[in-house]
């Protein structure tokens, strides 16, 4: 129904002429954000007839892609919470201001991270995770740093972060024994490794137990009453975009994300669709989480 209504409105308004946009994705190919954005864009293009061209620019905890977005004429950027929420607290010399350089137009959903280890360590459950937190934890983004900081604060531990370039590198380090514990946003490859017994998923940052492709992942917060910081994904536009063009883009993306088939696909890659186009809500939610995390770093 939503799809038909949206297409009909475009035709009635006489603005169905195809347009082309460019989106920067500051993450690696095959990452959770990359897969999620392509699912959304595919449905957006099907609904509207418009095109969104993707350019990947991974690295440096999203900084490379964000700089590319700022210095190019790209219309959109697909942001994770590390860039917009946690990095501004963890890093004091960011070359961007998340509250100025992005015009947030769509909150896609919550994207929990997963704590994992390899078989044979003394970490097998969520209880083990917080009671035997490894001295070094691998991650690839400020989102992971946020959760290590929360455990350190609440449990009095002193675990340090080992920062890797991406999820695959972090997983390889855990499997290879360089570190015992990691926390990353999962990919389908991670789930397959868990099925094959190469890694053990000991908990997620989501508030409920979940299961991905038949692999159960318990909630850390629910099991041990320990605060964990969820990730999130959002789509932002270049500030100052033509209002009519921006609104058309916003409504098209909204229809694409709220489509039931798209929502089911997003759930399958570990994003919990709770989309909103209420810009005030998006900004307030971002600031509230950032302020809450800030209390764990003091």
């Amino acid at each position: 129904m939503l799809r038909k209504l949206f297409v009909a409105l475009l035709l009635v308004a006489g603005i169905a002429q195809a347009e082309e946009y460019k989106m920067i994705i500051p993450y690696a190919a095959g990452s959770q954000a990359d897969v999620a954005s392509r699912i959304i864009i595919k449905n957006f293009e099907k609904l509207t007839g418009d095109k969104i061209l993707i350019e990947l620019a991974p690295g440096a905890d999203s900084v490379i892609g964000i700089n590319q977005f700022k210095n190019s004429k790209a219309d959109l950027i697909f942001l994770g919470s590390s860039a917009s929420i946690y990095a501004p607290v963890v890093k004091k010399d960011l070359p961007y201001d998340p509250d100025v350089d992005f015009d947030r137009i769509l909150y896609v959903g919550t994207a929990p991270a997963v704590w994992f280890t390899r078989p044979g360590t003394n970490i097998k459950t969520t209880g083990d995770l917080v009671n035997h937190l490894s001295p070094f934890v691998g991650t690839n983004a400020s989102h992971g740093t946020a959760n290590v900081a929360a455990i350190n604060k609440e449990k009095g531990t002193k675990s340090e972060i080992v920062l890797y370039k991406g999820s695959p590198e972090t997983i390889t380090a855990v499997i290879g024994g360089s570190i015992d514990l990691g926390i990353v946003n999962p990919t389908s490859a991670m789930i397959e490794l868990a099925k094959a017994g190469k890694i053990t998923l000991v908990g997620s940052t989501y508030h409920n137990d979940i299961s991905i492709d038949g692999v159960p992942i318990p909630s850390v917060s629910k099991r041990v009453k320990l605060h964990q910081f969820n990730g999130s994904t959002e789509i932002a536009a270049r500030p100052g975009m033509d209002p009519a063009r921006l609104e058309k883009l916003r409504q098209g993306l909204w229809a694409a994300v709220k489509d039931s088939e798209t929502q089911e696909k997003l759930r399958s890659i570990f994003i919990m669709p709770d989309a909103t186009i209420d810009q005030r809500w998006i900004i307030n939610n971002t600031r509230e989480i950032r302020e809450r995390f800030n209390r764990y770093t003091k």
Side-chain angles (χ1 to χ4, degrees), residues 114-116 129 137 147-148 151 181-183 200-203 220 228:
V114 168
W115 289 92
F116 67 100
L129 168 67
V137 179
N147 287 287
V148 175
I151 292 183
L181 185 64
I183 177 172
T200 302
L201 309 185
V202 293
V220 175
Q228 291 282 271

Side-chain angles (χ1 to χ4, degrees), residues 180-200:
D180 288 337
L181 185 64
I183 177 172
V184 298
N185 288 92
T187 63
S188 58
M190 186 179 191
I191 301 300
E192 292 306 313
L193 287 169
K195 286 182 176 180
K198 301 293 185 181
I199 58 176
T200 302

Side-chain angles (χ1 to χ4, degrees), residues 24 36 47 85 108 115 123 156 159 174 242 264 275-276 284 286 298:
I24 300 291
L47 289 174
I85 298 177
V108 176
W115 289 92
I123 302 173
S159 186
V174 171
D242 174 73
E264 188 61 34
T276 175
N284 289 343
T286 297
K298 293 180 179 178

